[in-house]
Amino acid sequence: MARSERDLLSTEIVNRGIESSGPNAGSLTFSVRVRRRLPDFLQSVNLKYVKLGYHYLINHAIYLATIPVLLLVFSAEVGSLSREELWEKLWEDTRHDLASVLGFFGVFVFTLSVYFMSRPRSVYLVDFACYRPPDDLKVTREQFIEVAGKWSKSDEASLDFQRRITKSSGIGDETYIPKVVMSAEENCMTMKHGRLEASMVMFGALDELFEKTKVRPKDVGILVVNCSIFNPTPSLSAMIINHYKMRGNIISYNLGGMGCSAGVIGVDLARDMLQANPNNYAVVVSTEMVGYNWYAGRDRSMMIPNCLFRMGCSAILMSNRRRDYHRAKYRLQLIVRTHTGADDRSFRSVYQEEDEQGFRGLKVSKNIMEIGGDALKTNITTLGPLVLPFSEQLFFFATLVWRHLFSGSAYKSLSSSLASTKPYIPDYKLAFEHFCVHAASKTVLDELQKNLELSEKNMEASRMTLHRFGNTSSSSIWYELAYLEAKERVKRGDRVWQIAFGSGFKCNSVVWQAMRRVKKPARNPWLDCVDRYPVAL
């Protein structure tokens, strides 16, 4: 096996306990697990991705170069005159050439007006809500294995596989699954049950959002709903409009099949709609239907979503109204989206299909870590130059250029020494105070923390969300922000980086800046348990 291929593999010795039957009955057994790890993308950053981010800086380079020179010339000219001489010169010029002065001020006012009228309006996050299901839907890991046992129909190999996945997933004993899954009904993947689950989670999140913000549903001008798997007719957005009797000219969108990163896509779409429709409110709802997506077959690659995904939903209220400046929690800074679907492996990495027995489910590729790492690499190298301090950008860019210039065969000895040394890793902790990484699984979070050199504190919100609520798909990044607010860690001026990845394959980032110190909310899914966290995983 080639060295580059070996570097992408990791091994783990797993204690499987005492064998209950067979020739090794009564003996302690172990197994060696080999799996792909997230590639060390900091060792293989392509310069073309960096150029995407530096394109923004290059566009503004002329201003950075000319403004200091103009200020220097102006200061030198004015500094040579006393205050009396300056006022006398201004008065003489104004008296003899009044038309020119009035013309100058007219052009100045016109230019200023055009600038402020054409610049994009600020988009604010007024508030958000995360749905917490009732306690009768709560399951421990052992209870989940019992439920899986009902679906496995005495298939011990499948049950043992799901037990191992659940144990190593980072999920705790207080996550939620629908009742129809608990009861192991054969026909739980129906439109009826899907609509019931959708009504429960979406209306629960929206009721809380409207109560917290004191905004009437009829005041909302833009509605974006994203749910990857369950897409009925009429749509989920139509269900919300019908339930809350929203106005007839509302601009509504329903995003389907876009995976766990669709929440950021929804925010991006809402931002664009707000820029085109001033003085408006936009609501973005992100969710996934666990029951409708339940897999009842025996294909192991399609059992993994059963072990990871749990019930959840988020609803956020965005605004471009200037009057919301003082009550909004965050201002939207920027969004960076990456789509690697042109590559066939990426396109099929998370794929919905039927197995040999005709059971529908999501098939997860064995190369998902490598594919996700490539998408993540592209995304963060585009984002970095837009958010990192200039010193970090300079060191990072200089290291890349140096390694690129001396990587040819003419510099073999130098190239080998460069390859053996680790490149400069940008410190993203200097760009952001808080990190909300999509809580996909413990393995994904471990590898991402290692590659970005983040601390346990940086990853705390993601790990605790995975432990308490499981993988809630596109809404997980909002449960993580709710955790930070419940801990009262968000202060005025803090920057929050939300990053999510999902089928397609896509990796999307959104950056918010806190507009005030966020106190512990009166309603929050973490309120009754936040004092118990963080816990050791």
Side-chain angles (χ1 to χ4, degrees), residues 158-177:
S158 297
L159 190 60
D160 184 56
F161 173 76
Q162 293 180 81
R163 183 181 289 109
R164 295 200 308 270
I165 292 293
T166 304
K167 184 177 180 180
S168 62
S169 65
I171 294 176
D173 291 324
E174 295 184 288
T175 58
Y176 305 90
I177 60 175

Side-chain angles (χ1 to χ4, degrees), residues 29-249:
T29 59
F30 297 86
S31 64
V32 178
R33 180 183 301 164
V34 180
R35 61 189 179 192
R36 284 185 174 272
R37 65 174 56 158
L38 195 69
D40 189 358
F41 46 82
L42 291 167
Q43 292 280 0
S44 59
V45 174
N46 195 314
L47 283 178
K48 70 177 181 180
Y49 298 137
V50 182
K51 290 175 184 176
L52 294 174
Y54 275 90
H55 178 70
Y56 176 86
L57 295 177
I58 292 171
N59 285 345
H60 295 80
I62 188 170
Y63 301 108
L64 297 175
T66 57
I67 289 177
V69 175
L70 292 175
L71 288 176
L72 185 63
V73 172
F74 179 77
S75 300
E77 181 68 24
V78 173
S80 62
L81 301 174
S82 65
R83 183 180 299 179
E84 292 78 11
E85 291 174 335
L86 180 62
W87 281 111
E88 184 179 348
K89 185 175 180 59
L90 288 173
W91 171 250
E92 288 294 329
D93 290 344
T94 303
R95 187 177 61 178
H96 292 296
D97 201 356
L98 185 59
S100 298
V101 173
L102 293 176
F104 169 78
F105 276 106
V107 171
F108 177 76
V109 171
F110 176 77
T111 305
L112 209 59
S113 301
V114 170
Y115 171 76
F116 282 107
M117 290 176 66
S118 61
R119 68 181 301 192
R121 283 174 171 262
S122 294
V123 175
Y124 307 110
L125 172 60
V126 179
D127 211 336
F128 67 97
C130 296
Y131 177 68
R132 175 174 164 172
D135 287 343
D136 61 333
L137 302 182
K138 190 181 292 185
V139 292
T140 64
R141 283 173 291 187
E142 287 302 318
Q143 289 172 333
F144 174 79
I145 295 302
E146 292 176 11
V147 171
K150 297 177 184 178
W151 287 95
S152 297
K153 298 178 178 61
S154 301
D155 184 353
E156 289 299 325
S158 297
L159 190 60
D160 184 56
F161 173 76
Q162 293 180 81
R163 183 181 289 109
R164 295 200 308 270
I165 292 293
T166 304
K167 184 177 180 180
S168 62
S169 65
I171 294 176
D173 291 324
E174 295 184 288
T175 58
Y176 305 90
I177 60 175
K179 275 188 178 180
V180 67
V181 174
M182 293 183 185
S183 61
E185 293 183 17
E186 288 287 349
N187 61 342
C188 79
M189 291 76 73
T190 63
M191 298 298 288
K192 176 184 176 181
H193 290 118
R195 284 192 173 97
L196 288 174
E197 184 181 347
S199 300
M200 174 190 293
V201 298
M202 292 194 309
F203 299 158
L206 286 166
D207 286 346
E208 180 180 334
L209 179 70
F210 291 137
E211 180 183 339
K212 290 168 72 172
T213 59
K214 307 302 180 186
V215 170
R216 299 178 306 166
K218 285 185 178 293
D219 293 334
V220 177
I222 301 162
L223 174 64
V224 181
V225 181
N226 68 269
C227 180
S228 187
I229 299 297
F230 183 60
N231 293 285
T233 300
S235 65
L236 297 178
S237 59
M239 286 175 58
I240 294 174
I241 293 170
N242 174 262
H243 179 79
Y244 290 100
K245 310 304 178 188
M246 291 177 160
R247 65 199 202 194
N249 64 342

Side-chain angles (χ1 to χ4, degrees), residues 269-324:
L269 178 57
R271 177 191 64 173
D272 291 344
M273 290 299 100
L274 286 172
Q275 295 294 354
N277 298 272
N279 297 314
N280 241 314
Y281 284 121
V283 168
V284 180
V285 179
S286 301
T287 187
E288 193 57 78
M289 301 303 113
V290 175
Y292 191 78
N293 190 41
W294 189 263
Y295 175 66
R298 298 185 180 182
D299 188 324
R300 293 191 176 186
S301 65
M302 301 173 80
M303 291 179 182
I304 296 175
N306 286 359
C307 301
L308 299 178
F309 285 96
R310 297 294 187 267
M311 292 178 68
C313 179
S314 66
I316 71 172
L317 180 67
M318 299 169 63
S319 171
N320 60 3
R321 302 186 178 200
R322 291 189 174 91
R323 71 189 73 170
D324 289 320

